[in-house]
Amino acid sequence: MNSLLYSVPPVLPFPSPAHDSLPGISTGKLPLRILANTASKRKPKGQTDDYHSTLKALNSKGRFPRKSLGQHYMLNGSVNEELVAAANVKEGDIVLEIGPGTGSLTNVLVDAGATVLAVEKDPYMAALVRERFAGLDRVKVVEEDFTKSHLRSHMSSIFPRKSPGDGNSSSAKVVANIPFNISTDVVKQLLPMGDIFSEVILLLQDEAALRLVESSVKSSEYRPINIFVNFYSDPEYKIKVSRTNFFPQPKVDAAIVAFKLKKMADYPRVSSIRSFFSMVNSAFNEKRKMLRKSLQHICPSPDIEAALCSANLPPTSRPEELTLQDFVRLHNLLVKTTYLI
């Protein structure tokens, strides 16, 4: 039989104990399947997706995972349980899922009682998810490139369905196993949407997750995206997920990251968000230079030095030495000199 199910060699459905652990656990490293069952303390009501069910679903559409779309399908239902548990999804929640694939995570979200808006670029996978949840009005599938989607419009079509007594109708959540190749675009699009979403739970490439969450001042990985992430959210690295949980198996491990989104009233106080990030990006464009040099197109170097001193920072400061709050103070001082608007 020339089918996908028989043409692909099996992979390990569970991760190696040596790779996956929960931070702070002192009793030794446990397999993720054990951690998932312990931490989540619940089992999916429906059938759990695994290696064979995933390949069978793909084969039903004659599909192979497409590298151009960054498609890596989850084979371990326990990881999906961890994603849903990290978001604390409850009955009546509204959840945005990006790239539902075969619908394995969608299934766990539905079993948890959520109404799901699934955005899928691949028309074959969109059709598969529609068929899988046909007749269930709590799943809406939008066939669209998420990075170009009209997200606010789509979310507004979901919210009116909920009544005040249906749980948390004031904000939604994002729970998604996203393609690694669009992770930065997804983060940039979602984090400023604290007026719609309360939490964003993503399964990301592990290295990218660490860069977003744990990169600190004076680190070689410290970049404008770290300022962006902390401006709009409180990020938390949850758990590492072995690459053996995916089909096809990627060359890197993954990680679950939670972003608790801030409301606009809780953003750092800057007169203009656009000018603030313009200044930050300019500073990092010449990362090795002192700010009095990299920002001299904004105002004269002596004025930058004066602003740095007023912010209790050395006049020789470089961008990787400034925290989010340091950049906020510097921006606001430069605004007072009318160089920034």
Side-chain angles (χ1 to χ4, degrees):
M1 180 181 294
N2 185 21
S3 69
L4 178 61
L5 184 59
Y6 288 89
S7 62
V8 182
V11 299
L12 294 174
F14 298 111
S16 165
H19 291 291
D20 303 279
S21 61
L22 280 171
I25 299 296
S26 59
T27 55
K29 295 181 181 292
L30 299 173
L32 182 59
R33 56 175 171 173
I34 296 176
L35 290 173
N37 290 336
T38 302
S40 301
K41 294 183 180 179
R42 66 182 178 207
K43 296 180 180 179
K45 301 171 188 176
Q47 183 178 358
T48 301
D49 292 64
D50 58 12
Y51 171 76
H52 292 288
S53 63
T54 297
L55 266 61
K56 183 178 180 180
L58 290 171
N59 194 49
S60 71
K61 294 294 180 183
R63 304 297 290 166
F64 285 93
R66 296 175 62 185
K67 185 176 180 179
S68 62
L69 296 179
Q71 291 175 332
H72 295 279
Y73 296 100
M74 176 55 59
L75 302 176
N76 187 347
S78 295
V79 178
N80 290 330
E81 284 285 299
E82 284 290 345
L83 280 163
V84 174
N88 191 27
V89 176
K90 304 181 298 294
E91 188 78 29
D93 280 348
I94 298 172
V95 176
L96 168 68
E97 183 185 4
I98 305 159
T102 61
S104 60
L105 175 58
T106 315
N107 187 49
V108 181
L109 289 167
V110 169
D111 284 344
T115 294
V116 181
L117 172 65
V119 180
E120 174 59 66
K121 181 178 181 179
D122 187 333
Y124 294 91
M125 293 297 98
L128 191 154
V129 176
R130 284 195 188 99
E131 292 171 8
R132 178 169 182 173
F133 299 98
L136 187 63
D137 61 2
R138 288 194 291 114
V139 177
K140 177 181 179 181
V141 181
V142 175
E143 185 183 318
E144 201 167 76
D145 182 345
F146 177 79
T147 61
K148 301 175 183 178
S149 65
H150 302 286
L151 190 53
R152 290 183 180 275
S153 175
H154 293 317
M155 292 304 298
S156 66
S157 71
I158 296 291
F159 274 105
R161 300 181 184 182
K162 309 297 292 180
S163 65
D166 285 337
N168 182 13
S169 59
S170 61
S171 60
K173 299 174 180 178
V174 181
V175 184
N177 169 15
I178 63 174
F180 292 164
N181 60 357
I182 63 168
S183 57
T184 300
D185 292 334
V186 170
V187 166
K188 287 182 177 180
Q189 186 170 347
L190 289 175
L191 265 53
M193 301 182 72
D195 58 320
I196 295 179
F197 302 108
S198 60
E199 295 179 83
V200 174
I201 312 297
L202 301 176
L203 188 59
L204 305 172
Q205 180 180 337
D206 186 54
E207 291 181 1
L210 290 170
R211 284 197 301 268
L212 289 175
V213 176
E214 297 186 358
S215 292
S216 57
V217 175
K218 296 185 179 179
S219 164
S220 61
E221 299 295 338
Y222 192 55
R223 292 179 171 86
I225 189 65
N226 299 109
I227 304 296
F228 179 92
V229 166
N230 287 281
F231 187 97
Y232 288 112
S233 74
D234 294 314
E236 181 182 358
Y237 183 104
K238 288 290 188 179
I239 186 172
K240 188 174 182 178
V241 178
S242 173
R243 67 194 75 182
T244 58
N245 287 289
F246 298 90
F247 170 74
Q249 183 174 309
K251 297 179 180 179
V252 294
D253 294 324
I256 296 175
V257 179
F259 303 90
K260 184 177 181 181
L261 302 196
K262 298 176 183 177
K263 300 294 184 183
M264 184 174 292
D266 299 320
Y267 294 166
R269 300 293 184 180
V270 294
S271 58
S272 167
I273 293 177
R274 176 174 293 183
S275 71
F276 172 74
F277 281 109
S278 176
M279 183 197 75
V280 170
N281 288 330
S282 294
F284 279 91
N285 280 340
E286 298 181 89
K287 184 176 179 180
R288 296 185 179 180
K289 290 187 177 181
M290 290 180 284
L291 289 165
R292 65 188 183 189
K293 294 291 185 181
S294 59
L295 295 180
Q296 63 183 350
H297 66 286
I298 295 176
C299 62
S301 293
D303 292 347
I304 297 173
E305 290 183 15
L308 287 167
C309 291
S310 296
N312 296 318
L313 296 168
T316 56
S317 295
R318 289 178 168 80
E320 69 269 18
E321 299 171 340
L322 271 64
T323 65
L324 167 61
Q325 290 305 321
D326 290 336
F327 273 113
V328 169
R329 288 197 299 272
L330 178 61
H331 173 269
N332 291 342
L333 286 165
L334 292 177
V335 164
K336 290 181 179 178
T337 64
T338 71
Y339 291 108
L340 289 171
I341 57 174

